[in-house]
Amino acid sequence: MSSLRLVLLCLGAFLPLGPVAAASATGPVTAPASVEQWGLFEASLTGPADGNPFVDVRFTAAFTHGERSIEVNGFYDGGGIYRVRFMPDATGEWRFVTHSNRWALTGQQGSFQVTAPAKGNHGPVGVRHTYHFGYADGTPFRQVGTTSYTWIHRPAALQEQTLATLAASPFNKLRMCVFPQSHGSKLMPPTLWPFVGTPRQWDYARFNPEFFQLLEKRVGQLRDLGIECDLILFHPYDGDENWGFETMDAATDDFYLRYVVARLAAYRNIWWSMANEYDDLRTKTEADWDRFFQVVRDADPYGHLRSIHNNRRIYNHHQPWVTHVSMQNGAALHDAGRAEIYRNVYQKPIVYDEVKYEGDSIYRWGDLSALEMVHRFWAGTVAGTYVGHSEFFGRPHDVVWLGQGGVLKGESPPRLAFLRKIMEEGPVDGIEPIDQWSDPYARRRTPLGDGLGEPHVGGQAGEYYLVYFGRAAPRSWPVEFSPENLVDGLRFAADLLDPWAMTVTPIEGTFTLKRKDDNTFADAAGRAIELPGKPYLALRFWRIP
Amino acid sequence: MSSLRLVLLCLGAFLPLGPVAAASATGPVTAPASVEQWGLFEASLTGPADGNPFVDVRFTAAFTHGERSIEVNGFYDGGGIYRVRFMPDATGEWRFVTHSNRWALTGQQGSFQVTAPAKGNHGPVGVRHTYHFGYADGTPFRQVGTTSYTWIHRPAALQEQTLATLAASPFNKLRMCVFPQSHGSKLMPPTLWPFVGTPRQWDYARFNPEFFQLLEKRVGQLRDLGIECDLILFHPYDGDENWGFETMDAATDDFYLRYVVARLAAYRNIWWSMANEYDDLRTKTEADWDRFFQVVRDADPYGHLRSIHNNRRIYNHHQPWVTHVSMQNGAALHDAGRAEIYRNVYQKPIVYDEVKYEGDSIYRWGDLSALEMVHRFWAGTVAGTYVGHSEFFGRPHDVVWLGQGGVLKGESPPRLAFLRKIMEEGPVDGIEPIDQWSDPYARRRTPLGDGLGEPHVGGQAGEYYLVYFGRAAPRSWPVEFSPENLVDGLRFAADLLDPWAMTVTPIEGTFTLKRKDDNTFADAAGRAIELPGKPYLALRFWRIP
């Protein structure tokens, strides 16, 4: 957020707003004179501090750019200060005018210049090509996620360490909670709370601005690291602490959601996750979750991504307010053939946000090997889906990345960095599963074969192929592709990729494809690629002139 | 259908209908005096044959049993004959009264006795326990399906052969079409058509009763064989014939649907399949399909099962009018871990109605080995889902079971009979996948293992376990189960099942389970079961006192 601010004196000469009424005389607007596109513009005003400003005062602003006008909710930030934030999506002059049921906050006007986005600012992420993501400026967003639920509820030094770890990590999306969780809270009790009051005795009608200031500071820092923040709005982890965030009434739930959205929607890196393991939060009904989505959607002028994360019962992701699927499934990344199933069901991007965790937990959800975690990312990738990481190392009450942040102890992150690089070198339109039902294992009637099936192939047919062998360890692979988008004579170069060793080994020569039969194009010279006979390898092919 | 009929003279003494108005004098009702519960009651009346009775005449009847009254659509059957059919769901006296916009057909009354269902009549099939099916009398329905799309459009002798084949087969559900298909129609052209007229020149406002009489005769014969009829109402197989069933307008589509439902809903074995490969029928929109479901639902007084079958684009089976999922997926039965994914998505019964076909087709959708077909049924079964068979043997224009019926040439049917027997000996509440995400392969961090994972286990936790090894060929299996519903000391007996050889080999002795760790109960004596080291085997365990 820009530190350059100036007081906009609401004079006609300075703000040529035409027919708009002159601003009231009660309070000046504090706001920057310029902001970059998709940056965070914030205007502050002083208003009433008496009564309960969170409840009593309605405060919005209309932001105008040419013909377009966008109505945005402001919020009360304590100490008589009201703020309204805005993420402009176009350069040039924007104007705004406030509206309120209090004289001090209504009719205040201003304008600001929106400059081109700075390097690294690609705008918010949205859905692209049905199954993928992209930034607003057209740059693809290849999600490589991780989760650290409640790092912002831990001691400041640990929070800083978490940020440093993220800065050096491959992750470009972090799932994190607003509310604290019981796990680890004996060791490191939360000190800042979202409501005024004390646990189990909250004044649910009054937010604690200090908490939200910390939250948004962290969201902003993630943004500056190029990390999307998938903010988890509810979760079932109050546990024995029974703080009271799981049992708020419906009006409080909605009041809380609108406040969070008013504060955070202008952060370009925000995503809304209605819940983690929503089905374990037994105090809500399916209708509540439907409503939460709609409350958030209606309050967010930018249409940030919205989803919900399950444990055993899967939410109806067909609902129109779900932008992408946030899936927990501990077995679906076993192979790409499983991973792609949800894609075809929902026809939306699939993010496997929880696939079990790398770790040494006594619990089965936290004891994946690093190799298995890396395999799951590759299986998901060639299936045209996206995967999330986290880890759980240490005894239950130690500092684990999943719950508290700190440092990463596992061996998968460098390999996920390698995968991210491969993804970034891949097709800009994303990786699609190719020839999904080919299943030559069944077709060739070799039932006593190696049981591993053929490799799964993802890519952009005719242009780019990522061939992942998973657990199979063949000694050679005949270069064969499904006919989609192929014609005789197309040429391809290839690399052997080792996802664990993180090596890229060019394959000598090139491959010229030729139709072999109805279902196959093969190398014209019948060339196969020799392989080292170990599992978890991949080949990539890209078309050359 | 009972051949015993009598003329019900509409006299007050004979029909003590209390306050109901006396019947009109214009026409007697022909109807049986009694029918078994869930049998087919039919009342016939003579009415106007002029104009277009299909369009001009509204004809319904209200059937009353005690306090309940059910309104049922009648239909015109040609030659001045109007019929209304009814499937009573309770024994005792039922009364009816007709309503029409023609004097001859309105106010006609009668009553009949409903007797207990005969042996083999279990009533219509509905959804049970979320994921399973059951007959109305409580008997489980374990679906073992097949498909023969247009057998009723083939020569009479071939139709009879098809029925004889079905009678000797393991199949208890048949998918079949109302409309003909182009495949095979050069060799055996259709001779009876659903509309009056000639191909491409139909009078879409007039049905051909003779065709529907044949259709319902066949549906009744399937019923008498204990076979459910999953009737496919639309399909994209007009092909080069371009008969004109794919391009009817919306009003004709609905008119057709209501006529079919009026004629067939009283057959207890009818299921409604809106389409085969609905997404390939490019003349309809998603909204059309939604409407078709609702038209059928609203016209069917019995709530027969309703679904829709896809090719590549999956219908939104979350829609409330979908009773169960009819899925085509050529790869989802690769293993039980894939098969169970849709179950958790939709929380409805999953029927894999097309998993590719056993056969020798040049097309990949018709060249499964029998062994693979049998594997797919077993994978689906332990996943708590149901599977459909068909076969495609012979050159493209030969008589194939899939399209024309006749005889079965494949090797899977006897094995599917074996599986059906195993299912029928299994739990009445159906088989549930057990410990779905156990995935010990990933857990044990043995990434260079055999790549096959552990067996998939289905059953009823604590009572019955079906352990299917799929493509894995272990030499022994330690008896270990997930803790759900287990306590120390429960005893189990076991058999080794060979799905291909169709053998049941009792395992000597019994197994007494004891908690081993948080996730496992094992045999107290640490006993493992020796296995023959070949793939596609199963073990079943059942609790003994």
Side-chain angles (χ1 to χ4, degrees):
Chain A
M1 187 162 47
S2 169
S3 62
L4 178 66
R5 293 167 183 278
L6 76 150
V7 175
L8 296 176
L9 297 175
C10 299
L11 302 175
F14 191 81
L15 298 165
L17 290 170
V20 177
S24 93
T26 51
V29 180
T30 303
S34 76
V35 68
E36 63 183 305
Q37 186 178 340
W38 303 309
L40 193 152
F41 173 85
E42 178 181 292
S44 309
L45 288 88
T46 302
D50 59 330
N52 182 349
F54 295 105
V55 172
D56 303 338
V57 180
R58 180 174 61 74
F59 174 53
T60 66
F63 288 82
T64 306
H65 181 259
E67 302 285 297
R68 292 167 60 214
S69 184
I70 300 165
E71 188 79 15
V72 176
N73 294 321
F75 62 92
Y76 182 60
D77 202 24
I81 304 297
Y82 293 78
R83 302 186 198 279
V84 61
R85 291 173 176 162
F86 184 65
M87 177 184 75
D89 64 359
T91 56
E93 189 189 63
W94 286 77
R95 303 176 188 190
F96 65 91
V97 56
T98 66
H99 299 103
S100 176
N101 58 345
R102 293 291 179 273
W103 287 115
L105 303 171
T106 202
Q108 303 289 347
Q109 304 177 29
S111 74
F112 53 98
Q113 289 296 322
V114 174
T115 58
K119 188 167 179 301
N121 169 3
H122 301 289
V125 171
V127 172
R128 274 195 7 175
H129 309 308
T130 308
Y131 299 106
H132 303 285
F133 300 104
Y135 293 99
D137 76 349
T139 305
F141 174 72
R142 284 101 164 185
Q143 195 267 186
V144 178
T146 190
T147 297
S148 185
Y149 290 132
T150 47
W151 69 283
I152 67 163
H153 287 277
R154 310 305 169 177
L158 188 57
Q159 292 183 41
E160 294 303 326
Q161 188 184 46
T162 302
L163 281 170
T165 299
L166 286 166
S169 83
F171 303 116
N172 57 19
K173 193 198 76 182
L174 177 69
R175 287 175 61 73
M176 56 179 263
C177 302
V178 177
F179 294 130
Q181 68 182 133
S182 65
H183 182 273
S185 68
K186 292 271 187 297
L187 187 68
M188 295 177 289
T191 53
L192 268 179
W193 303 95
F195 294 103
V196 169
T198 54
R200 293 174 292 283
Q201 306 219 321
W202 306 116
D203 179 351
Y204 287 116
R206 290 175 190 270
F207 298 104
N208 175 12
E210 199 187 344
F211 168 77
F212 287 95
Q213 286 156 11
L214 172 73
L215 169 63
E216 62 210 21
K217 174 178 150 188
R218 296 314 189 193
V219 172
Q221 287 170 312
L222 294 175
R223 174 198 60 208
D224 296 341
L225 293 173
I227 297 174
E228 301 293 302
C229 174
D230 194 9
L231 191 65
I232 297 166
L233 299 166
F234 293 99
H235 65 64
Y237 310 136
D238 261 23
D240 294 340
E241 310 292 342
N242 195 21
W243 288 305
F245 304 121
E246 298 182 1
T247 52
M248 305 189 305
D249 64 21
T252 303
D253 286 341
D254 295 358
F255 178 63
Y256 154 75
L257 289 173
R258 290 196 184 95
Y259 189 73
V260 171
V261 174
R263 294 198 70 117
L264 283 158
Y267 287 77
R268 66 176 172 269
N269 62 321
I270 204 79
W271 301 18
W272 309 118
S273 177
M274 297 307 125
N276 219 67
E277 298 191 320
Y278 89 103
D279 49 320
D280 287 347
L281 194 37
R282 305 294 168 85
T283 52
K284 314 290 179 206
T285 67
E286 209 76 5
D288 287 324
W289 298 111
D290 293 350
R291 192 181 77 252
F292 296 163
F293 268 104
Q294 295 171 79
V295 166
V296 168
R297 178 196 60 191
D298 295 347
D300 172 3
Y302 316 106
H304 287 292
L305 292 164
R306 290 178 301 271
S307 196
I308 187 168
H309 168 278
N310 59 283
N311 185 8
R312 295 288 163 150
R313 180 179 171 90
I314 299 172
Y315 184 78
N316 178 1
H317 294 288
H318 277 291
Q319 296 284 23
W321 42 76
V322 177
T323 57
H324 67 287
V325 174
S326 171
M327 181 64 67
Q328 174 175 191
N329 186 313
L333 276 294
H334 179 81
D335 65 32
R338 284 191 202 172
E340 68 193 32
I341 289 180
Y342 292 116
R343 225 180 98 108
N344 299 340
V345 166
Y346 296 114
Q347 295 143 35
K348 295 180 182 183
I350 308 295
V351 184
Y352 287 101
D353 273 314
E354 191 171 344
V355 299
K356 299 186 177 176
Y357 301 119
E358 184 183 354
D360 59 6
S361 171
I362 57 166
Y363 301 110
R364 298 189 295 178
W365 49 259
D367 72 351
L368 288 189
S369 68
L371 188 59
E372 178 68 16
M373 177 60 84
V374 174
H375 165 68
R376 289 176 177 213
F377 267 79
W378 278 77
T381 300
V382 295
T385 68
Y386 298 92
V387 189
H389 153 280
S390 194
E391 61 171 45
F392 197 101
F393 284 101
R395 284 161 291 133
H397 298 292
D398 277 358
V399 175
V400 295
W401 177 257
L402 174 65
Q404 293 90 37
V407 296
L408 287 162
K409 301 167 190 167
E411 296 175 278
S412 69
R415 279 85 187 180
L416 304 182
F418 176 76
L419 171 59
R420 183 172 164 183
K421 180 168 169 288
I422 298 298
M423 291 166 80
E424 285 170 355
E425 293 169 358
V428 295
D429 290 345
I431 290 175
E432 311 290 341
I434 291 177
D435 201 21
Q436 286 191 297
W437 295 354
S438 64
D439 212 358
Y441 177 63
R443 177 161 53 101
R444 287 175 189 164
R445 298 192 206 93
T446 54
L448 303 180
D450 66 6
L452 293 165
E454 294 291 301
H456 287 277
V457 181
Q460 288 285 335
E463 293 296 331
Y464 175 96
Y465 298 93
L466 194 57
V467 177
Y468 180 55
F469 293 93
R471 308 191 204 281
R475 298 215 152 265
S476 88
W477 189 68
V479 175
E480 292 189 355
F481 295 107
S482 157
E484 194 190 349
N485 295 351
L486 292 178
V487 293
D488 283 356
L490 293 187
R491 287 176 68 230
F492 287 81
D495 287 329
L496 173 65
L497 310 177
D498 185 328
W500 184 256
M502 299 175 278
T503 56
V504 176
T505 309
I507 306 287
E508 227 176 292
T510 63
F511 300 87
T512 302
L513 297 187
K514 194 184 163 199
R515 184 177 282 276
K516 182 180 165 190
D517 58 37
D518 273 3
N519 302 310
T520 323
F521 274 68
D523 180 56
R527 228 182 120 197
I529 293 179
E530 299 305 303
L531 295 168
K534 60 179 216 178
Y536 305 111
L537 297 180
L539 293 166
R540 70 170 167 188
F541 294 79
W542 64 99
R543 192 170 151 200
I544 54 174
Chain B
M1 183 162 49
S2 170
S3 61
L4 176 67
R5 293 167 184 276
L6 77 151
V7 175
L8 296 176
L9 297 174
C10 297
L11 302 174
F14 191 81
L15 298 166
L17 289 170
V20 177
S24 92
T26 50
V29 181
T30 303
S34 76
V35 68
E36 62 183 305
Q37 185 178 341
W38 303 308
L40 193 152
F41 173 85
E42 178 180 292
S44 308
L45 288 89
T46 302
D50 59 330
N52 182 348
F54 296 104
V55 171
D56 303 339
V57 180
R58 181 175 59 74
F59 174 52
T60 65
F63 288 82
T64 306
H65 181 259
E67 301 285 299
R68 291 167 59 214
S69 184
I70 300 165
E71 187 79 15
V72 176
N73 292 322
F75 61 92
Y76 182 61
D77 202 24
I81 304 297
Y82 292 78
R83 302 186 197 279
V84 60
R85 291 173 176 162
F86 184 64
M87 177 183 76
D89 63 0
T91 57
E93 189 188 63
W94 285 77
R95 304 176 186 190
F96 66 91
V97 57
T98 67
H99 300 104
S100 176
N101 58 345
R102 293 291 179 270
W103 288 114
L105 302 171
T106 202
Q108 303 290 348
Q109 306 178 28
S111 74
F112 54 98
Q113 288 296 321
V114 174
T115 58
K119 189 168 179 299
N121 170 3
H122 302 290
V125 172
V127 172
R128 274 193 9 172
H129 309 307
T130 307
Y131 298 106
H132 303 286
F133 299 105
Y135 293 100
D137 75 350
T139 306
F141 175 71
R142 283 103 165 184
Q143 195 267 187
V144 178
T146 190
T147 298
S148 185
Y149 290 132
T150 47
W151 69 284
I152 67 163
H153 288 276
R154 309 305 170 177
L158 189 56
Q159 293 183 41
E160 296 301 326
Q161 187 184 46
T162 303
L163 281 171
T165 300
L166 286 167
S169 84
F171 303 116
N172 57 19
K173 192 199 77 182
L174 177 70
R175 286 176 62 73
M176 57 179 265
C177 302
V178 177
F179 294 129
Q181 68 181 133
S182 66
H183 182 273
S185 69
K186 293 272 186 296
L187 188 67
M188 295 177 289
T191 53
L192 267 179
W193 302 95
F195 295 103
V196 169
T198 54
R200 292 174 293 282
Q201 306 217 322
W202 306 116
D203 179 352
Y204 288 116
R206 290 177 191 268
F207 297 104
N208 175 12
E210 201 187 343
F211 168 78
F212 286 96
Q213 287 156 11
L214 172 74
L215 169 62
E216 60 210 23
K217 175 178 151 190
R218 295 314 188 193
V219 172
Q221 289 170 309
L222 294 175
R223 174 198 60 208
D224 297 341
L225 293 174
I227 297 173
E228 301 294 303
C229 174
D230 195 9
L231 191 66
I232 297 166
L233 298 166
F234 293 99
H235 66 64
Y237 310 135
D238 260 24
D240 294 341
E241 311 292 343
N242 195 21
W243 287 306
F245 304 121
E246 298 182 1
T247 51
M248 304 189 305
D249 64 20
T252 304
D253 287 341
D254 296 357
F255 179 62
Y256 154 75
L257 290 173
R258 290 195 186 96
Y259 189 73
V260 172
V261 174
R263 293 197 72 115
L264 284 159
Y267 286 78
R268 66 174 173 269
N269 63 322
I270 203 79
W271 301 18
W272 309 118
S273 177
M274 297 308 124
N276 220 66
E277 298 190 321
Y278 88 103
D279 49 320
D280 287 348
L281 193 37
R282 303 297 167 83
T283 52
K284 314 290 178 208
T285 66
E286 208 76 5
D288 287 324
W289 298 111
D290 293 350
R291 193 182 76 252
F292 296 163
F293 268 105
Q294 294 171 79
V295 166
V296 169
R297 179 196 59 192
D298 295 347
D300 172 4
Y302 317 106
H304 286 293
L305 292 165
R306 290 178 301 270
S307 195
I308 187 167
H309 168 277
N310 59 284
N311 185 7
R312 295 289 164 148
R313 180 178 171 91
I314 299 173
Y315 184 79
N316 178 3
H317 293 289
H318 277 290
Q319 296 285 22
W321 43 74
V322 178
T323 57
H324 67 287
V325 174
S326 171
M327 181 64 66
Q328 175 175 190
N329 186 314
L333 276 293
H334 179 82
D335 65 31
R338 283 191 202 171
E340 68 193 31
I341 289 180
Y342 293 116
R343 221 180 102 107
N344 299 339
V345 166
Y346 296 115
Q347 296 143 34
K348 294 179 182 182
I350 308 296
V351 184
Y352 287 101
D353 273 313
E354 191 170 343
V355 298
K356 300 186 176 175
Y357 303 119
E358 185 183 353
D360 60 4
S361 171
I362 57 167
Y363 300 110
R364 298 190 295 179
W365 49 259
D367 72 351
L368 288 190
S369 68
L371 188 59
E372 178 68 16
M373 178 60 85
V374 174
H375 165 67
R376 288 177 178 214
F377 266 80
W378 278 77
T381 300
V382 295
T385 67
Y386 298 91
V387 188
H389 152 281
S390 194
E391 62 171 44
F392 196 101
F393 283 101
R395 282 162 293 133
H397 298 292
D398 277 358
V399 176
V400 295
W401 177 257
L402 174 65
Q404 294 89 35
V407 297
L408 288 162
K409 302 168 189 166
E411 295 176 279
S412 68
R415 278 86 187 181
L416 304 182
F418 176 76
L419 171 60
R420 183 171 163 185
K421 180 167 169 289
I422 298 297
M423 290 165 81
E424 287 171 352
E425 293 168 357
V428 295
D429 290 345
I431 289 175
E432 312 290 342
I434 291 177
D435 201 21
Q436 287 190 297
W437 295 354
S438 63
D439 213 358
Y441 177 63
R443 178 161 51 101
R444 287 176 190 162
R445 299 192 206 95
T446 54
L448 302 179
D450 66 7
L452 294 164
E454 293 291 302
H456 287 277
V457 181
Q460 288 285 336
E463 293 296 332
Y464 174 96
Y465 298 93
L466 194 57
V467 177
Y468 180 55
F469 293 93
R471 309 192 203 280
R475 299 216 152 263
S476 87
W477 188 68
V479 175
E480 292 190 354
F481 295 107
S482 155
E484 195 191 349
N485 295 350
L486 292 177
V487 292
D488 283 356
L490 292 188
R491 287 176 69 229
F492 287 81
D495 288 328
L496 174 64
L497 309 178
D498 186 327
W500 184 257
M502 299 175 277
T503 56
V504 177
T505 310
I507 305 287
E508 226 177 294
T510 63
F511 299 88
T512 302
L513 297 186
K514 192 183 162 198
R515 185 177 280 279
K516 182 180 165 190
D517 59 36
D518 273 2
N519 301 310
T520 322
F521 274 68
D523 179 57
R527 230 181 120 196
I529 293 179
E530 299 305 304
L531 294 167
K534 61 180 215 176
Y536 305 111
L537 297 180
L539 292 167
R540 71 172 166 187
F541 294 80
W542 64 99
R543 193 170 150 199
I544 54 174

